[in-house]
Each structure stands twice: as structure tokens, then as C-alpha cells.
Amino acid sequence: MNNLRPDEKDNVFLFPKTLDYYQIELTRMLEREQYKEAAGLLRFLLQCQGMEQRNYEEWQALLDWLISAFPGLQEESLEDEETGFADQAEEEMARQHVQAKAAEDKEYAAKLLQTVTGQPLSEQTFLALDQLSYLESSDVDEVLVQWLGRQKLHPLLQYRVLQTLRRRGKTGHVTFLRTGERVEIDVESVPLRPEDFPPSIQSILERVGDQTQVHDPTLFYFAQELWFQFVMAIYGTMDYRSMLAEEDDIIDIWAAALHQIVSDTLPGGQGDEEIRALYGITDHLRLRFEQAYRSMRQFASFGLK
């Protein structure tokens, strides 16, 4: 998350619905032990105006606690190498923990698979998928691939399954339906982190950042969240492949659509004509822009239920 300069602080106000969203995001980050991301969000919130004093006191107290518990968060950004070592250590601890449970319970892998494939979608579904990443059971890949092919799953859940398969070291392709379209996915190429997506995917978000980071950082925060959820949901589809061309018009079209869909959800958002002008969406690009906007709006309204 990009931090604001001191002279930009007074321009950032939070609306009640926006605050609710951030509070939910903060809770989610803490539950998943995403402490670096939580610290970044807290620093952002502390720079905003329009909230009651108790909100700022609670955020500052929570940030202070995070820093005391994890001194590395004192710096707003960690060196990539240090972060890499920390991620590796955390992953190895998780692996040892899961494998120890599997050693104690021979049915542990089967229980995790049942949680994923046989129970209603919940936070436990994603936790079970994370744990399955570390198990060496030969049946796991086959069960997950068959489940992808048989069940009509939410596209974000499909993507999490793909990530699990990649972490497990599966190779080759899997074929299944995504949003009504049959796709073939090379498991070894599935991005595990937002920064792993191709440069053209990053360029679309950067284009929105050029228009919003200084004058509307709240919109850019929402855009970051929505964008990577969206590209995960359409990964491997025709829409996704269209973004890989790295053509300026394609980048402008998807950036404008992203800006528009987020602006629609925020009070006082810009109108479509103004946004199209910002991104140079002329009449001959209008139809493709509207198609991109509809695709993104369909995803945004679908939700994860």
C-alpha cells in the first residue's frame, strides 16, 4: 500500500461504508495472520480524517501492539530479501505443523478434503486448502482436479484450488469450466502472489494508480483489492488472455473499466464520460470498454457466497 505524503493527509476522508469495508479487511488480515498488510492498512487509516477520536486511538493501539510483537514491522517496508526469508521460515513452520498432524492421524488428509469438497463454503474451506498444500498424500491432486471438473464452483475458489495444486508441485494442465467458458490451465504457471502476474496485468493497475493515487487514494485502495480478485477469477479465460497483449489500448480499456466500477461504489464517484476521457477511451474503443466494464461488474455483483 502506498503511503500518503503529509501534505496529502487532509484530503483523505472516510465515509461510513468505506470505514466498514476497511474494518472488515483489517479483521480478515489479522485472522489470517497477514500482519504486514494489517500494519500497512492501519498506517493508511491513521492518515485519514473524518472519524471519531476513538477510532484513531484503537488503530494506533493495534499498530503499536503489532510493532511490539513483530519488530520488523517498525519499518513501513521491509527489504525483499528479508521478507523472502521470513516467508520461507513461516512456510516451513506451517509445513512441519501440518505434517505432524498427518503423522498423528492417518485420516487427516481425507478429513481436509472432506472439509473442502463436502461442506459449505466457509473460511474453513480456505484453511483446509492451505493445509493440503503441505501434505504428500498421493490422492489429494486427483480429488481436487476431479472436483474442479465436476462441481460448479465460485471462480475465486477455483483459483485457490489451482494455487493449492501448484504449491503441491503438480505439473501439466487441468481443464474445467470457468464462468461458462472451458479453460485449460498450466498449473505450473498459476501466480501465487499478486506480484507474480504478468507485467501487462500490473500495468493496468498502475494506469489507474496514475490517475488516482494522489487525488483519490481511497479509490486506488479499493481498485487494488478488486483488481487482483478479478484477475484471479478470470484467470485463463478469453478476457484474461486479452490483457496479455500489452497493447496501450487494451491497458486503457481495462484500467478505465476498473476505475469506473470502483467509482460506482463510492460516494461522489466520477461519471463515466469523465473517466473515459481520463483514459482516452474514444468512440472506436467505447464498445470494448463497455464489454470490459460488464465483465467486471458481473464479477463484483457475484460476490463470494
Side-chain angles (χ1 to χ4, degrees):
M1 178 180 303
N2 295 314
N3 292 305
L4 303 176
R5 298 191 307 268
D7 61 337
E8 295 169 354
K9 177 179 176 180
D10 293 341
N11 296 325
V12 184
F13 287 82
L14 291 181
F15 295 94
K17 289 185 179 179
T18 308
L19 175 61
D20 291 343
Y21 174 86
Y22 284 141
Q23 296 282 38
I24 293 170
E25 281 292 286
L26 184 59
T27 300
R28 181 183 63 83
M29 290 173 181
L30 293 172
E31 287 177 347
R32 296 185 180 182
E33 299 182 358
Q34 296 173 315
Y35 298 129
K36 180 182 176 183
E37 292 83 352
L41 176 53
L42 285 166
R43 288 189 176 98
F44 171 78
L45 291 171
L46 286 167
Q47 293 180 87
C48 298
Q49 289 196 349
M51 296 295 104
E52 297 180 6
Q53 183 60 31
R54 63 177 179 81
N55 293 121
Y56 299 108
E57 292 172 354
E58 290 173 0
W59 294 332
Q60 186 63 59
L62 182 53
L63 179 60
D64 291 343
W65 176 82
L66 283 173
I67 291 172
S68 66
F70 306 97
L73 297 178
Q74 179 65 47
E75 298 296 329
E76 293 190 11
S77 62
L78 301 176
E79 292 295 330
D80 290 342
E81 184 176 356
E82 294 176 350
T83 303
F85 285 136
D87 289 345
Q88 291 174 17
E90 182 178 346
E91 182 174 354
E92 184 56 30
M93 289 177 62
R95 182 184 303 277
Q96 292 176 7
H97 176 71
V98 172
Q99 291 181 353
K101 284 191 171 184
E104 295 174 359
D105 182 358
K106 300 304 181 184
E107 299 299 318
Y108 191 64
K111 291 175 181 177
L112 291 176
L113 285 170
Q114 175 61 24
T115 298
V116 171
T117 65
Q119 297 182 14
L121 180 62
S122 69
E123 186 65 27
Q124 296 303 313
T125 309
F126 297 110
L127 291 174
L129 280 171
D130 288 342
Q131 291 181 311
L132 285 170
S133 299
Y134 303 120
L135 292 180
E136 297 176 359
S137 172
S138 59
D139 297 334
V140 172
D141 290 353
E142 182 179 355
V143 171
L144 291 179
V145 170
Q146 289 180 355
W147 189 52
L148 274 177
R150 290 197 311 263
Q151 299 296 321
K152 184 178 180 181
L153 306 176
H154 189 284
L156 286 179
L157 178 56
Q158 289 178 331
Y159 193 81
R160 287 294 294 271
V161 174
L162 291 172
Q163 288 181 314
T164 298
L165 291 170
R166 182 185 169 181
R167 289 190 175 102
R168 290 181 48 76
K170 180 173 173 54
T171 58
H173 295 78
V174 293
T175 303
F176 56 97
L177 287 175
R178 302 207 78 189
T179 61
E181 178 183 342
R182 183 160 293 279
V183 299
E184 184 178 72
I185 304 292
D186 176 11
V187 177
E188 295 170 83
S189 300
V190 173
L192 296 178
R193 303 170 300 173
E195 55 266 33
D196 294 337
F197 281 95
S200 58
I201 301 296
Q202 309 290 345
S203 296
I204 293 169
L205 182 61
E206 290 168 2
R207 183 81 169 87
V208 177
D210 291 341
Q211 297 294 336
T212 62
Q213 279 183 286
V214 172
H215 302 295
D216 200 347
T218 298
L219 188 147
F220 185 63
Y221 180 84
F222 278 101
Q224 286 177 296
E225 292 290 315
L226 176 61
W227 181 240
F228 286 114
Q229 289 187 41
F230 177 65
V231 294
M232 287 188 289
I234 65 166
Y235 183 78
T237 66
M238 290 181 62
D239 275 343
Y240 181 84
R241 295 196 299 273
S242 76
M243 301 174 188
L244 304 182
E246 298 191 51
E247 298 175 0
D248 288 341
D249 284 352
I250 297 297
I251 290 173
D252 288 338
I253 286 168
W254 282 103
L258 175 60
H259 191 149
Q260 180 69 65
I261 199 72
V262 177
S263 185
D264 287 347
T265 67
L266 296 176
Q270 293 169 288
D272 59 345
E273 291 187 10
E274 183 179 359
I275 290 173
R276 290 200 307 272
L278 283 175
Y279 295 91
I281 306 300
T282 55
D283 287 343
H284 82 282
L285 298 177
R286 177 79 177 268
L287 178 60
R288 294 167 73 187
F289 160 76
E290 290 178 349
Q291 290 171 338
Y293 174 79
R294 280 198 300 271
S295 178
M296 199 169 296
R297 185 176 180 84
Q298 181 180 14
F299 166 74
S301 61
F302 189 23
L304 183 52
K305 298 178 182 177

